[in-house]
Amino acid sequence: MSKEIVVPFGPQHPVLPEPLHLDLVVEDEKVKEAIPGVGYIHRGLETLVQKREYPEYVYIAERICGICSFIHGMTYCQGIETMMNVEVPERAEFLRVIWSEYSRMHSHLLWLGLFADGMGFENLFMDAWRLREHVLDDMEATTGGRVIQGSAKVGGVRRDISSEKLDEMVTGLEGIRGELKDMMDVFLFDSSVKSRLRNIGMLSPEDAYELGAVGPTLRGSNVASDVRMNGYAAYDRLHFEPVVEDGCDCYARCAVRAKELFASIDLIKEAVQKIPDGPIEVKVTGKPEGEYFSRAEQPRGEVIHYVKGNGTRNLARHRVRTPTMANIPPLVKMLQGCELADVPVITLTIDPCIGCLER
Amino acid sequence: MVYFKMAKTAIKSLIHGPSTIRYPAEPAKQYPTSRGHVTIDPSKCISCGMCMRKCPADAICVRRDEKLWEIDLFKCHVCNCCVEVCPVHCLTMETEYRPAFAEHEGVQVVKITYVKPEKKAVKKPAEDKSEE
């Protein structure tokens, strides 16, 4: 006779490098219900707007997450710039796109590595992280930081990239593309990987939409939604099409991230071709007043920075809605009815980032 | 055939040397833009306290009366903000990362040796007249 038991999963778990806790109600190795528990690394970063002036808060906004740090900083800056009617120079917008796409590549390669590790494919894990090093090297050479770039600024960007370095980056990316193709043969066509991912963690397009999934979780369920289509920064001047897969399973979400790597390389190449000369920042004076919802596409999905100014150097309110927050309800849905052994793989496919989630 | 595709990767891995650096025999990669650690030139610092006010981590403390510049290395997250705002450019960002150190070495205190240059004495018009 079967009996219901509750299996605690996390917050410290060997396959999940994030402090996410799930109470799994299990019956005969089948998960009947998953109850998420968060709150292990809350840092109170949003409250710091009352202590830090709005130009210095960019550093705090960047430190919300260690993976998509540049995009967090950029999204915050976009909010302030719109509130204060600051027109960012065109070159700065292109540089923002380049660094955003580098961040995406870095995040996706990191995730692919962790995902391979979660499946038990150690060699593939090392291969993905080896390629990620090239991306990190380019980021450090251009911004000075491997994971925390510190290049976003209200009114533009802090650093410029010389045209020689841009050409060198494009050449390096072509090398990465060749190696990525070899790696993707294993990720997308290997039978052991397919058997581990196909028809697992199903999320129908209707459920994904209704539960508010974002990013690759949504696009893996055949919904073409991407904030980059709105044309923030310089995306409106580049050819961009979202990567969509119709599998609605773990394999589809993995494939979206894998194919987005190639899309990012194409975007960076196009941005380098089209980048204009000129200044990289404008001087911002005054104090922000008003409110704005700033949106951007992170590697994990849509991020929203809500900023509200009250006419002083400190903001009145700063609120962040991160993609992991939006992907938790779809995760709970995916986990219902799955095998206990598939829980780590399914949880990893939403690319949980608890640092972002709790701030 | 998938196996042949994987074999290509496997053979490449066998022929290719190690991807990791043989640290510390081989030094870690550094770039001119790398943010390693903050250093101060005490002979230039005018103790204006701008770096202290702008530091997002509250890592810097300038004691103007005692002419001391203090940095808590455990708090400093090497953001380059202090270097950017310094009006006399006495702060610089070195590209080398700091080695590991014990807790008691975390706070670094530097004695500011800046001497304010004396202004040239301006002769008063009345004195000039008397001299004449």
Side-chain angles (χ1 to χ4, degrees), chain A residues 52-53 56 59-60 63 121 127 130 137 140-145 148-150 158-159 182 185-186 189-191 313, chain B residues 2-3 5-6 8-9 12-13 19 29-31 33-35 53-58 77-81 84 97:
Chain A
R52 297 279 175 266
E53 293 180 0
E56 276 78 62
Y59 295 108
I60 313 284
R63 278 157 181 80
F121 211 144
D127 221 23
R130 181 176 57 79
D137 284 347
E140 190 179 0
T142 52
T143 65
I148 302 284
Q149 279 74 43
R158 284 176 206 282
R159 296 171 189 86
D182 290 345
D185 285 340
V186 187
F189 306 118
D190 183 57
S191 57
R313 296 280 289 173
Chain B
V2 172
Y3 295 107
K5 284 179 179 173
M6 284 181 71
K8 187 183 160 191
T9 311
K12 202 191 280 179
S13 301
S19 298
K29 281 181 192 171
Q30 274 168 7
Y31 302 94
T33 50
S34 293
R35 299 197 301 273
R53 283 198 293 279
K54 296 287 180 183
C55 178
D58 285 339
H77 52 49
V78 208
C79 64
N80 206 39
C81 187
E84 281 175 27
Y97 298 112

Side-chain angles (χ1 to χ4, degrees), chain B residues 8-126:
Chain B
K8 187 183 160 191
T9 311
I11 291 164
K12 202 191 280 179
S13 301
L14 280 172
I15 297 165
H16 196 272
S19 298
T20 46
I21 295 171
R22 294 172 67 79
Y23 184 83
E26 197 180 326
K29 281 181 192 171
Q30 274 168 7
Y31 302 94
T33 50
S34 293
R35 299 197 301 273
H37 66 275
V38 183
T39 51
I40 184 170
D41 181 356
S43 64
K44 278 188 186 174
C45 179
I46 55 169
S47 10
C48 65
M50 191 66 95
C51 50
M52 177 175 71
R53 283 198 293 279
K54 296 287 180 183
C55 178
D58 285 339
I60 299 174
C61 178
V62 181
R63 286 189 238 155
R64 190 177 282 190
D65 302 336
E66 299 161 54
K67 291 197 88 174
L68 290 176
W69 184 86
E70 198 177 296
I71 185 165
D72 188 340
L73 299 168
F74 285 113
K75 277 187 183 175
C76 173
H77 52 49
V78 208
C79 64
N80 206 39
C81 187
C82 53
V83 180
E84 281 175 27
V85 297
C86 182
V88 289
H89 307 293
C90 70
L91 295 172
T92 43
M93 185 60 75
E94 298 293 323
T95 54
E96 285 171 16
Y97 298 112
R98 277 194 176 278
F101 47 81
E103 199 176 341
H104 66 272
E105 293 168 303
V107 178
Q108 196 183 47
V109 184
V110 178
K111 178 84 181 160
I112 298 165
T113 56
Y114 172 77
V115 182
K116 202 174 177 182
E118 285 179 15
K119 281 184 183 173
K120 284 179 186 174
V122 181
K123 288 177 183 175
K124 289 177 184 174

Side-chain angles (χ1 to χ4, degrees), chain A residues 87-191:
Chain A
E87 198 158 317
V88 179
E90 212 174 347
R91 187 175 176 85
E93 288 189 330
F94 275 85
L95 287 171
R96 281 180 177 184
V97 168
I98 291 170
W99 282 320
S100 295
E101 292 308 317
Y102 261 100
S103 296
R104 198 176 314 282
M105 286 181 69
H106 146 54
S107 172
H108 282 351
L109 281 167
L110 178 125
W111 178 83
L112 284 165
L114 288 174
F115 194 52
D117 191 35
M119 290 188 292
F121 211 144
E122 290 286 334
N123 191 7
L124 200 54
F125 158 62
M126 290 291 178
D127 221 23
W129 281 36
R130 181 176 57 79
L131 275 182
R132 177 173 160 260
E133 279 301 311
H134 297 299
V135 178
L136 289 179
D137 284 347
D138 271 353
M139 281 175 109
E140 190 179 0
T142 52
T143 65
R146 276 165 63 88
V147 288
I148 302 284
Q149 279 74 43
S151 291
K153 184 182 187 180
V154 178
V157 288
R158 284 176 206 282
R159 296 171 189 86
D160 200 354
I161 311 177
S162 65
S163 53
E164 295 84 41
K165 183 63 195 169
L166 284 171
D167 294 339
E168 199 184 300
M169 282 157 73
V170 170
T171 317
L173 285 175
E174 282 306 315
I176 293 175
R177 189 201 289 270
E179 292 195 50
L180 266 178
K181 275 181 186 162
D182 290 345
M183 201 176 75
M184 288 316 148
D185 285 340
V186 187
F187 261 114
L188 301 179
F189 306 118
D190 183 57
S191 57

